[in-house]
Every structure is written in C-alpha cells, then in structure tokens.
Amino acid sequence: MSSLRRALTAAASALVVLAVATGCTGGGTATAGATHAAGRGTSATDPAASLQAIAPVTDAKDVTGERTATLATDLPPTASTVDEPELPVTVTDNQDTEVTVTSADRILALDISGTLSSTVYGLGLGDHLVGRDVSTGFSGTEDLPLVTRNGHELSAEAILALRPTVLLTDTSLGPWDVVLQIREAGVPVVVLDPHRDTTNTDAIIEQVATALGVPATGDRLAAEVHAQEQAVAAQVARIAPSARADQLKMVFLYVRGNAGIYYLFGSESGADSLIDAVGGRDVATEQDWTGMRPVNAEALVAMQPDLVIMMTKGLESVDGVDGLLQRVPAIAKTPAGEHRRIVDMADTTVMSFGPRTPGIVAALAAAIYGPADPS
C-alpha cells in the first residue's frame, strides 16, 4: 500500500471515529422497498455562471465577515443523455476482486463523503438507489432508509433488509466484517477507490459507470463535469489574487464542539485540493500538516490563516463564530479570527467531491471573493 493510500485510509478512519464520537446521524423513515424517484430529473446548471458577475478582488485580505457557501442547485449534475444498464458485467474492483453485477435495479452506494451516491445520480440511476449513508444529502434522498449508524458505521441488518442487487462502497466505511457479510449473503460488492479530491472525478465516474453497465453514460458525464471544472477554474483565476503574496492563506477546520473535537485537515486530506481549487494557499500543507490531526494552538497561530473553511454543523456546534473564537482562542490571534473570515458549507456537500466538484468550488469561491449579502 502506497504512503498516500495509507494516509487517506487513516484519515477516513479518523473521520469515522469523529462521526461516531459525535453521534452524527440522519433520518430515514422510508420503508425497505422505497426507491428514489428523482434519479432522472434535470439538474443542468452552469457553476461558472455564478462567478461571472464577481469583479476581480483588489485585496482579498481586506474582506471581513463570515459567509455561507451555497450550491446553485442541490442536485448533482446529470449526464446530458443517459443509457439503460447493459448487464451482466464483470469488473475487477479496487481490491483486485472479480465481481459480476447482474442487476442495477436496487443500488446501494455508500462512502464517507457521499461521492458514490451523487455519481449514481449523475449517471441517471438515482431512482435505483434504495438506501443512503449519512453523508448523502442531496434533494430527493431525505426519505431513503439510512444504513449507517453512529455516524459512518455500516449496519448489515439495514443493508440486507433493502435487498440490494449491488453494493458500491470503498474502505472509508466500516466495520469491514459487515462488507464481507454482505458479500457472503450473495450481494455483488464492488469496492472502489477511496481517494477523494478535486482531481480524480473522472476516475470515480468511470469506476461507478463500468460497474453499473453504463460506460458510455460515464464517459459523457465525465466529459461534461470536466468542462465545468475548467470553466470554474478560469473564473476563479480571473477573480482570485494571482500573486502568491496576495493569495489568502486558508485552513480547513473540522469541529464538533459538543464532543470537544477540533481537527485541522492538511495534505492528502482532500481539503488541500479544495483550497488550491479556490485560489488559496493551504497553509497547513505548507507547514507539513498531513492528513487530519487535532488542532495545536501554537501551530495554528504560526500558520496565521486569513480564512477558515468549516462544515456548517461544525460551526453551529460551537454556537457560531463568536463561540468558535471563545473555544479556540488561537483562531482569535490570526487574521481569520480578527476579521471573522469564516466560510462554512453544508456537511454533506463541502467534501463530497465527485460530479458536484465544479459546483462546490464555484460556491466556495463566490462566498470567498463575492460581495457580501446585502441582507
């Protein structure tokens, strides 16, 4: 296993521990036979359009106040045309296991970031989803039965009750014995790459599309999302400072205040690529902060971030910016704290990557560089 894979697996495991410790769970009251009826609805949008009206920032470090980043649409982008699955298909998954998928009628797509379910939706198969993980939160999935408990812990009973014809997952969820139990019960289990950042969207789409027998749809979706990524990148390059000295120093802070959990994300966490994508400097990575680690006050002060990115529920768990500055006094000693430069985004969105990556980057960029909401 490469050092990158080890770091990513460790980070994913740590996230599971965090979610379990905080009791992060969601609803899910639909019956076992429920299906998602929004899988073929339109979600066509141009993420770059939200940035076109924003003027280039003269001095991004002069901006003050907290912001919330919001997607233009809560639905993942869907391929312009979609195909019906051509099955059976035999694939070799990320663990070199040969798996034959005979039906995509009842899909479970489970991972720690919600990437796989949004990818299934983007392939036009959202109405085939029969359950969800706690990280899946786009419109139309609210009533799908939840098959994770205590945050990101898989429940064999809940999964098998839904009679899935295929389970798409990765190594970010556990316990692994549950995955093996599902496979032993006769459900085809395809284990995909757990790596998540802004750079491997095409690979994830390809893996999911191949396993579900819609490779041509996957090619179209990947090409269309890639074009959106390029358009957003061009807009970010236009509005964000280009000189390194003028770029905002940013950190991604994971917080669950009620449990006393405060973690900084660094290199190989996915947050580093997100910060790069919005034209910022990941100052944690610059100081050799790898993966996700508990906040060190001295290190945080030394980083002197201009802006902190957080999950919305994390910010709420410390009673907003005022509570954050009280609970983490080190932030108050940084430009981000002095200027209240905190940008939050929905927990089920900000680190979900996959087909929603262009929209996520555009929403964050708009919150970082755009004018304040007059309301």
Side-chain angles (χ1 to χ4, degrees):
M1 183 182 291
S2 69
S3 59
L4 174 61
R5 175 71 178 278
R6 284 195 297 271
L8 289 167
T9 302
S13 298
L15 270 174
V16 173
V17 171
L18 293 181
V20 169
T22 58
C24 236
T25 59
T29 59
T31 61
T35 56
H36 176 32
R40 298 186 188 278
T42 178
S43 57
T45 186
D46 178 9
S50 62
L51 303 178
Q52 292 172 355
I54 298 176
V57 177
T58 303
D59 190 344
K61 297 181 181 181
D62 281 346
V63 179
T64 62
E66 59 265 35
R67 307 278 182 85
T68 296
T70 305
L71 291 175
T73 173
D74 196 36
L75 291 173
T78 306
S80 54
T81 57
V82 300
D83 306 313
E84 291 295 328
E86 294 186 7
L87 298 170
V89 64
T90 299
V91 298
T92 301
D93 72 6
N94 198 57
Q95 294 187 327
D96 294 325
T97 301
E98 193 172 90
V99 183
T100 298
V101 179
T102 60
S103 171
D105 289 346
R106 302 180 63 80
I107 302 169
L108 282 176
L110 312 173
D111 66 324
I112 202 167
S113 58
T115 307
L116 298 182
S117 56
S118 64
T119 302
V120 170
Y121 184 97
L123 294 169
L125 298 172
D127 53 357
H128 293 220
L129 290 170
V130 294
R132 65 179 177 90
D133 51 51
V134 73
S135 297
T136 294
F138 55 86
S139 293
T141 62
E142 301 90 344
D143 292 332
L144 288 177
L146 187 66
V147 299
T148 51
R149 58 191 179 191
N150 299 323
H152 298 279
E153 180 183 344
L154 295 171
S155 167
E157 295 81 4
I159 290 172
L160 291 174
L162 297 177
R163 299 177 289 106
T165 58
V166 60
L167 168 60
L168 307 176
T169 190
D170 60 25
T171 54
S172 67
L173 299 179
W176 190 246
D177 286 349
V178 170
V179 177
L180 297 179
Q181 182 180 346
I182 302 305
R183 180 173 280 162
E184 290 170 1
V187 178
V189 177
V190 182
V191 181
L192 305 173
D193 186 355
H195 179 50
R196 300 286 184 272
D197 63 20
T198 61
T199 67
N200 73 333
T201 300
D202 292 1
I204 296 298
I205 291 174
E206 178 186 3
Q207 291 174 29
V208 174
T210 299
L212 296 180
V214 287
T217 303
D219 288 343
R220 284 190 292 273
L221 179 61
E224 290 159 9
V225 170
H226 183 67
Q228 292 179 351
E229 288 175 329
Q230 289 184 312
V232 169
Q235 289 298 322
V236 171
R238 180 185 64 82
I239 62 179
S242 57
R244 179 178 174 79
D246 297 330
Q247 292 172 345
L248 292 173
K249 292 189 291 183
M250 304 182 190
V251 294
F252 191 104
L253 179 64
Y254 179 92
V255 170
R256 287 296 182 263
N258 294 335
I261 294 172
Y262 303 87
Y263 272 64
L264 274 180
F265 287 21
S267 64
E268 302 177 351
S269 69
D272 51 338
S273 70
L274 199 58
I275 290 173
D276 288 343
V278 296
R281 290 171 52 188
D282 179 18
V283 67
T285 293
E286 289 179 6
Q287 296 208 11
D288 299 322
W289 200 274
T290 302
M292 54 179 296
R293 293 158 49 191
V295 169
N296 176 292
E298 182 178 351
L300 185 55
V301 171
M303 291 176 188
Q304 287 292 289
D306 300 301
L307 183 142
V308 176
I309 300 174
M310 298 181 64
M311 295 180 179
T312 300
K313 288 184 179 178
L315 186 58
E316 292 173 351
S317 76
V318 291
D319 299 322
V321 176
D322 289 334
L324 177 68
L325 298 179
Q326 290 177 0
R327 298 201 195 194
V328 191
I331 294 179
K333 299 177 182 179
T334 70
E338 293 170 4
H339 297 148
R340 301 176 65 89
R341 288 289 275 145
I342 312 297
V343 172
D344 68 282
M345 192 171 196
D347 298 43
T348 56
T349 302
V350 65
M351 293 282 283
S352 63
F353 298 111
R356 296 208 285 180
T357 296
I360 292 166
V361 173
L364 282 172
I368 292 168
Y369 303 113
D373 187 337
S375 61

